[in-house]
């Protein structure tokens, strides 16, 4: 096999790729913020003594953890217009990813709450005392969730949101530099996830140090 | 939502939906099977291997786990033909899902192996078992039981990831649904049907997993 590498068509569009990467990161940040907010209440809901509330929350988590993200995205993007709800592609994707994230994060928070083994107290106490402790204890899982969500933003390309994968396919079809395109794009994803992972490890260390916790 | 129209449509398209479900199950099942074998070996190599093996397995795991599944699928689909391997969309997708699954299973197996206390291995050594015996009778039975829930979860993830094969045009359930919808414009109705089918598959896998866990518990 003789193949001459030519990275020119890919590198010429490098700023587009970076734009796509930025959009992916922004969507992941939005989704983890909204998802963590909903997931926090869901986690309390699943542990609630109210049977109906806890059944609803557990059902929500089971359903959205077992549905493929692509299906949620298509539902928001293609089915909601049937009820006259028309949204931009990237907004649709953020909604779908947030719901998906909420279900996953509810499980993370639930695990953290069970590990703290607290009884259920009034909401205000939860917010000021439980939440900070909980956030610290689930920080590593939260970080992993964020990395997963960032990788999942590639699915936005399926509804033509201009993210990194979208531009990759565009360059791919325009230039036919197949190997080069996917090599550069994979490296961008891998590099970004590694940087995020490294930053999170630093953050965890700082949080631990600020609490004076020794490990 | 128009349910009467949905039922008359369903009578028309159910054989195709069933074929879609079949393809989804076939591709996911094979990917989990091959991926588990590959991932099992990778996990062992990563845990027990010499320095070079460990570094190589780390690079493989980091590269695969750092890349989104969709990129893995697209890259496999477009790059394989250049290397002379012209596979159908379904088979290229199967290759990509197998690679994805292997990295996940390797991580799961590695976690399981790490959860076995070193005392177990030392005790087995002290009663004179050699390495294959220690692995087969002492370490793996414990490690695999520990890894089982995460492994079942990986299988669910593969079924979810198989929807992405629709992007390269493999006629699994998701693409079948998209084709149906593009003909009859019943978006909400048929995506709901898809949701029910995927839920049934994934909750089924979880239920079977729970039974296996119970049956193999100490």
């Amino acid at each position: 096999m003789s193949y001459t590498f030519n990275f020119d068509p890919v590198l010429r569009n490098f700023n587009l790729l970076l734009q796509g990467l930025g959009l992916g990161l922004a969507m992941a940040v939005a989704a983890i913020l909204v998802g963590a907010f909903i997931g926090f209440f869901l986690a309390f809901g699943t542990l609630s003594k109210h049977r109906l509330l806890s059944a609803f929350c557990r059902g929500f988590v089971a359903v959205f953890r077992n549905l493929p993200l692509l299906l949620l995205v298509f539902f928001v993007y293609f089915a909601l217009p049937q009820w006259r709800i028309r949204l931009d592609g990237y907004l649709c994707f953020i909604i779908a990813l947030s719901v998906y994230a909420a279900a996953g994060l509810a499980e993370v928070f639930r695990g953290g709450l069970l590990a703290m083994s607290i009884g259920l107290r009034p909401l205000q106490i939860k917010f000021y005392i439980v939440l900070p402790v909980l956030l610290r204890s689930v920080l590593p899982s939260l970080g992993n969730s964020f990395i997963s969500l960032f990788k999942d933003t590639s699915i936005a390309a399926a509804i033509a949101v201009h993210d990194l994968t979208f531009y990759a396919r565009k360059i791919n079809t325009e230039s036919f530099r197949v190997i080069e395109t996917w090599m550069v794009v994979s490296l961008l994803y891998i590099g970004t996830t590694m940087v995020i992972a490294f930053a999170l490890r630093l953050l965890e260390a700082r949080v631990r140090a600020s609490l004076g916790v020794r490990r | 939502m128009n349910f009467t129209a949905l039922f008359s449509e369903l009578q028309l398209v159910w054989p195709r939906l069933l074929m879609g479900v079949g393809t989804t199950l076939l591709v996911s099942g094979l990917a989990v099977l091959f991926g588990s074998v590959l991932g099992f070996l990778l996990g062992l190599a990563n845990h027990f291997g010499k320095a070079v093996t460990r570094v190589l397995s780390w690079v493989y795991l980091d590269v695969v786990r750092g890349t989104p599944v969709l990129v893995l699928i697209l890259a496999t689909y477009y790059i394989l033909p250049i290397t002379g391997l012209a596979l159908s969309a379904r088979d290229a997708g199967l290759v990509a899902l197998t690679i994805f699954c292997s990295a996940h299973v390797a991580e799961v197996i590695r976690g399981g192996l790490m959860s076995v206390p070193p005392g177990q291995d030392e005790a087995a050594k002290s009663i004179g078992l050699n390495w294959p015996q220690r692995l087969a009778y002492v370490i793996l039975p414990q490690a695999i039981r520990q890894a089982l829930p995460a492994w079942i979860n990986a299988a669910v993830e593969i079924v979810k990831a198989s929807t992405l094969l629709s992007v390269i045009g493999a006629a699994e359930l998701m693409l079948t649904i998209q084709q149906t919808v593009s003909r009859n414009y019943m978006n909400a109705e048929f995506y709901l049907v898809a949701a029910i089918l995927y839920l049934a598959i994934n909750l089924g896998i979880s239920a079977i997993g729970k039974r296996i866990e119970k049956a193999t518990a100490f």
Side-chain angles (χ1 to χ4, degrees):
Chain A
M1 192 185 94
S2 62
Y3 186 90
T4 16
F5 282 96
N6 176 11
F7 282 96
D8 270 2
V10 185
L11 296 180
R12 219 181 304 133
N13 291 306
F14 200 68
N15 58 334
L16 282 183
L17 293 180
L18 286 185
Q19 265 176 39
L21 187 71
L23 182 63
L25 277 173
M27 291 193 296
V29 169
I32 202 161
L33 289 178
V34 179
F37 186 75
I38 304 172
F40 177 69
F41 288 103
L42 274 176
F44 273 107
T46 55
L47 298 172
S48 165
K49 283 197 187 95
H50 296 279
R51 280 239 200 87
L52 209 62
L53 179 66
S54 115
F56 171 81
C57 292
R58 271 181 287 138
F60 184 96
V61 172
V63 166
F64 287 102
R65 259 168 57 93
N66 282 297
L67 283 182
L69 177 59
L70 186 65
L71 181 62
L72 299 181
V73 172
F74 280 169
F75 192 87
V76 176
Y77 190 65
F78 292 116
L80 286 191
Q82 245 167 276
W83 291 287
R84 303 265 180 283
I85 303 172
R86 252 171 244 281
L87 302 167
D88 268 343
Y90 68 93
L91 204 59
C92 286
F93 185 76
I94 290 175
I95 293 172
L97 192 62
S98 299
V99 174
Y100 187 73
L105 291 172
E107 280 293 283
V108 170
F109 286 140
R110 200 174 68 95
L113 285 175
L114 286 175
M116 285 162 66
S117 70
I118 46 115
L120 293 174
R121 290 169 211 133
L123 207 62
Q124 223 175 9
I125 303 183
K126 270 176 210 155
F127 227 83
Y128 292 113
I129 297 171
V130 177
L131 185 61
V133 180
L134 181 64
L135 279 183
R136 276 195 293 271
S137 74
V138 298
L139 194 58
S141 321
L142 218 54
N144 287 338
S145 304
F146 180 71
I147 291 175
S148 291
L149 290 176
F150 168 63
K151 288 192 295 170
D152 287 338
T153 57
S154 61
I155 291 175
I159 54 169
V161 170
H162 293 196
D163 79 323
L164 178 51
T165 304
F166 174 88
Y167 284 121
R169 292 179 81 188
K170 189 164 173 279
I171 295 168
N172 192 10
T173 43
E174 279 170 4
S175 68
F176 294 107
R177 305 314 304 188
V178 175
I179 296 181
E180 293 87 335
T181 311
W182 295 110
M183 239 165 92
V184 170
V185 169
S186 301
L187 281 177
L188 278 173
Y189 272 115
I190 296 165
T192 313
T193 52
M194 281 183 170
V195 169
I196 300 171
F198 181 71
L200 284 166
R201 224 163 292 156
L202 285 184
L203 182 69
E204 280 165 39
R206 273 197 61 169
V207 168
R208 269 204 302 274
S210 72
L211 292 171
V213 183
R214 260 182 247 140
R215 271 185 99 165
Chain B
M1 282 198 208
N2 188 344
F3 284 104
T4 20
L6 173 63
F7 283 121
S8 59
E9 271 295 310
L10 272 179
Q11 278 170 348
L12 205 67
V13 297
W14 72 264
R16 295 200 51 211
L17 289 188
L18 216 59
M19 269 176 63
V21 171
T23 308
T24 289
L25 287 178
L26 180 73
V27 171
S28 315
L30 286 178
V32 170
L33 184 69
F34 298 146
S36 295
V37 173
L38 194 62
F40 180 72
L41 298 175
L42 268 167
L44 287 184
N46 187 282
H47 192 75
F48 294 113
K50 298 239 161 57
V52 184
T53 330
R54 296 186 59 167
V55 169
L56 285 179
S57 62
W58 268 130
V59 170
Y60 175 85
L61 290 182
D62 276 351
V63 166
V64 175
R65 280 156 43 86
T67 317
V69 207
L70 181 58
V71 173
L72 217 54
I73 290 169
L74 289 169
T76 312
Y77 182 58
Y78 287 115
I79 290 178
L80 276 185
I82 291 181
T83 63
L85 252 173
L87 293 180
S88 68
R90 193 191 65 185
D91 295 346
L94 174 59
V95 171
L97 286 181
T98 301
I99 295 171
F100 176 64
C101 183
S102 73
H104 271 258
V105 170
E107 198 71 1
V108 167
I109 292 291
R110 204 178 61 84
L113 288 170
M114 288 201 325
S115 76
V116 180
Q120 293 284 326
D121 189 43
E122 287 157 15
K125 212 184 274 182
S126 75
I127 59 168
L129 298 184
N130 60 25
W131 194 71
Q133 286 173 327
R134 296 206 300 276
L135 199 62
Y137 299 126
V138 180
I139 300 173
L140 283 182
Q142 299 183 57
I144 290 176
R145 275 191 186 85
Q146 193 71 35
L148 205 54
W151 185 71
I152 300 294
N153 207 28
V156 171
E157 287 302 318
I158 293 298
V159 173
K160 283 157 73 178
S162 75
T163 56
L164 299 177
L165 298 199
S166 64
V167 176
I168 55 171
E172 40 66 75
L173 178 55
M174 198 66 195
L175 189 64
T176 313
I177 291 281
Q178 278 173 265
Q179 287 167 343
T180 310
V181 161
S182 64
R183 190 174 50 77
N184 60 22
Y185 297 107
M186 295 166 70
N187 286 286
E189 289 86 349
F190 272 91
Y191 284 123
L192 199 68
V193 169
I196 292 168
L197 289 172
Y198 276 110
L199 269 185
I201 294 172
N202 285 339
L203 293 178
I205 292 174
S206 303
I208 294 170
K210 284 264 158 57
R211 290 192 74 156
I212 298 175
E213 269 172 56
K214 262 209 190 114
T216 57
F218 283 119

